[in-house]
Amino acid sequence: MAKKLQEAEENLAKADKLMKTSVFRWSPDYMSAAPYLEKAAECFRAAQDYARASTTFVRLAEVQHKNQASFRAAMHMETAAKLHLQYAPKKPVAAMQYYQTASGYYAETGELGKAAEMLMKGASALEEVGYTDVKQMYLDACELMEAQDKPHFAVDVFRKTAAFLVKRKEYDEAIANYNKQITFFQAIQQPDNMYKAFTSIVVLHLAKPDVVAADQAYMQHLQDDGYLHADECALSEDLIGAFKRGDEDALKALLKKPNWQYLDAPIGRLARTLTMYSTARVSKPARPAAPPSQPAPKSAPEPVPAPVPAAMAAPVEPKHVSEPVVAPAVVPVPAPTPIEVAAPVVSEEPEFDLT
């Protein structure tokens, strides 16, 4: 084991030397460094140093991506994710990023199916270690398969995603998933699977519970002429009818039929949990009331004094309220304005000479 570690260190040093620039090497030689990185990663894994093996595989994947070898880069990134979960299962976020990066590398090569498969593998591996925040990985895988435009291969991915959504009780998104499955089954001409998807949608609506939406979906499904003669049609009709009437006995008898086992397993399990009182809350038992305490003995009422006759009552002197004296308001009189008398104007008449 020590020999493997030493060999890994030697190969890692050679790779680092090739990726450094110098006077005679103006750019990193990724092509020559890749084999040394791969040997170093394998030696670390053989020595059971999974932490360094994982980080070395990540470096190898990045180098291969720079070498325009995206397919090999995706493979190495997947290996890094597996090793990370092996030595650090309680820190799965890095592994999730590795799986998503590997999916992106596959998508760059045009392998959308491989990209979706990588996301599904990653989601399953993360769930095994207890990490459940993988919903986006499932949804991204569905988008990739839908973009690939190959309904035969997309159905399996959509079914696994629907099972995950039903398990999380995200019924609205599960209904949208089954609606897309219906388009796939129509494209590949599989009416039997399409009718099962019809009934699955009805079950999901009733699990919410929303009887009106279930009835509307059922009426929409009746537009398909072949559905009228299918067993799933009668199953949906009886199920909705039991909920409309509020007939719990009819519902129990219906859920005992073996037809439910032909649907997807998560839908069959969900259907058997349907009940009229699924949303009713169980009332808590009332606490026993405390025994009433004995009333305290009443004391004798105090004697009320007899009223005094009006004649013997002391006369009440009327109170004299003095009114306030208000001084008259003094209004200032303005002084008379002096009148100016203009001086008489003496006009000068011209003198006449009488001589």
Side-chain angles (χ1 to χ4, degrees):
M1 190 174 294
K3 185 178 180 181
K4 285 292 182 181
L5 287 174
Q6 183 180 359
E7 184 180 354
E9 293 289 354
E10 292 175 357
N11 285 285
L12 194 60
K14 292 178 181 178
D16 290 336
K17 184 177 180 180
L18 289 170
M19 288 189 292
K20 289 181 180 179
T21 57
S22 62
V23 178
F24 303 101
R25 186 184 296 111
W26 292 359
S27 60
D29 189 359
Y30 295 117
M31 191 67 68
S32 301
Y36 291 109
L37 282 174
E38 188 171 1
K39 290 180 182 179
E42 292 293 347
C43 289
F44 280 129
R45 180 162 60 175
Q48 298 183 0
D49 190 351
Y50 299 125
R52 298 194 66 184
S54 177
T55 55
T56 307
F57 271 112
V58 170
R59 291 185 61 189
L60 175 60
E62 293 173 350
V63 167
Q64 292 287 27
H65 185 251
K66 292 177 180 178
N67 290 334
Q68 304 299 321
S70 298
F71 196 90
R72 294 184 63 85
M75 295 174 59
H76 295 317
M77 194 64 76
E78 180 185 2
T79 305
K82 291 179 179 179
L83 290 172
H84 183 86
L85 290 178
Q86 192 169 353
Y87 82 88
K90 294 184 179 180
K91 298 179 180 179
V93 178
M96 181 178 67
Q97 295 174 353
Y98 296 159
Y99 278 116
Q100 290 173 337
T101 305
S103 174
Y105 289 161
Y106 278 125
E108 288 180 4
T109 63
E111 295 286 345
L112 299 182
K114 294 286 291 183
E117 182 183 356
M118 182 56 54
L119 290 174
M120 299 298 290
K121 282 184 178 180
S124 178
L126 291 169
E127 285 184 287
E128 288 179 1
V129 297
Y131 189 73
T132 58
D133 192 13
V134 293
K135 174 183 173 181
Q136 193 59 43
M137 298 180 72
Y138 279 105
L139 297 180
D140 291 343
C142 290
E143 290 182 3
L144 288 170
M145 294 306 297
E146 193 173 4
Q148 191 183 22
D149 197 17
K150 292 182 179 180
H152 290 84
F153 302 102
V155 169
D156 186 54
V157 174
F158 272 81
R159 278 179 171 170
K160 290 180 179 179
T161 304
F164 172 80
L165 294 172
V166 172
K167 183 180 178 181
R168 295 273 297 266
K169 296 184 179 181
E170 298 185 10
Y171 299 137
D172 289 330
E173 296 194 31
I175 291 170
N177 182 291
Y178 274 102
N179 282 324
K180 289 184 179 180
Q181 289 188 44
I182 290 171
T183 60
F184 295 150
F185 293 135
Q186 289 175 343
I188 60 181
Q189 298 180 357
Q190 291 185 0
D192 294 338
N193 289 327
M194 183 174 65
Y195 300 154
K196 293 176 183 177
F198 286 166
T199 304
S200 300
I201 291 175
V202 171
V203 172
L204 289 169
H205 277 302
L206 293 175
K208 292 170 60 174
D210 192 345
V211 182
V212 176
D215 191 23
Q216 291 176 351
Y218 171 70
M219 297 302 294
Q220 184 179 1
H221 298 157
L222 289 178
Q223 296 178 3
D224 189 292
D225 296 335
Y227 186 53
L228 293 171
H229 307 286
D231 295 337
E232 290 80 8
C233 179
L235 201 64
S236 299
E237 183 180 5
D238 294 342
L239 188 62
I240 295 173
F243 270 89
K244 283 184 175 181
R245 297 189 305 271
D247 193 344
E248 183 73 17
D249 295 333
L251 177 62
K252 290 180 179 179
L254 180 63
L255 295 180
K256 291 180 181 179
K257 291 186 177 181
N259 304 66
W260 301 105
Q261 65 184 356
Y262 301 114
L263 302 179
D264 292 342
I267 297 297
R269 289 193 294 267
L270 179 63
R272 290 185 174 89
T273 62
L274 294 177
T275 175
M276 301 290 177
Y277 312 103
S278 57
T279 57
R281 296 183 179 179
V282 180
S283 59
K284 297 182 179 180
R287 295 182 179 179
S293 58
Q294 296 181 356
K298 296 182 179 180
S299 58
E302 297 180 358
V304 180
V308 181
M312 298 177 63
V316 179
E317 297 181 359
K319 295 182 180 180
H320 177 71
V321 180
S322 60
E323 297 181 357
V325 179
V326 181
V330 179
V331 180
V333 179
T337 305
I339 301 174
E340 296 181 359
V341 179
V345 179
V346 180
S347 60
E348 296 181 359
E349 296 180 357
E351 296 180 358
F352 296 96
D353 189 4
L354 300 178
T355 59

